[in-house]
Amino acid sequence: QVHLVESGGGLVQAGDSLRLSCAASGRTQSIHDMAWFRQTPGNEREFVAVISWSGSHTEYGFFVSGRFTISRDNAKNTLYLQMNTLKPEDTALYYCAATDYYTMSSERNAYRFWGQGTQVTVSS
């Protein structure tokens, strides 16, 4: 089985930056794509970004507008999300997710493995 643990969230001011990390353990050889989603209370989980196994292919949600960068270090079994120019609208619980096949999907149901989330709060 694959276990994912997010970290790096916190309370920041508008315009600040954060880097989120997601550490994978267990049967990491099963992992193909890795992605970030986010969710606020009462809303559906929203796609943020996805990256292929090699890191050569990335996709971002429509709201990102160049502010976020997804990356991964397979030697460390770690996924990252660099978030710049943060806005209050970015406030959410950010989840790490992974597939066991290549898909590059923005859909929640494509991802088999999930972390429990790290909270990002952006004040104005």
Side-chain angles (χ1 to χ4, degrees), residues 46-95:
E46 179 183 34
F47 172 74
V48 177
V50 61
I51 187 168
S52 61
W53 182 88
S54 69
S56 62
H57 189 188
T58 60
E59 300 287 345
Y60 294 92
F62 69 93
F63 63 87
V64 170
S65 300
R67 297 182 298 122
F68 297 176
T69 302
I70 189 171
S71 62
R72 66 193 294 172
D73 185 340
N74 290 341
K76 297 181 178 179
N77 293 316
T78 302
L79 173 74
Y80 304 98
L81 184 68
Q82 178 67 44
M83 303 188 294
N84 299 323
T85 319
L86 283 163
K87 304 175 181 179
E89 307 93 87
D90 296 319
T91 296
L93 188 64
Y94 283 73
Y95 292 92

Side-chain angles (χ1 to χ4, degrees), residues 82-113:
Q82 178 67 44
M83 303 188 294
N84 299 323
T85 319
L86 283 163
K87 304 175 181 179
E89 307 93 87
D90 296 319
T91 296
L93 188 64
Y94 283 73
Y95 292 92
C96 173
T99 67
D100 56 1
Y101 64 102
Y102 178 79
T103 176
M104 297 298 295
S105 177
S106 62
E107 300 178 2
R108 298 186 304 275
N109 60 10
Y111 294 85
R112 181 175 181 178
F113 311 111

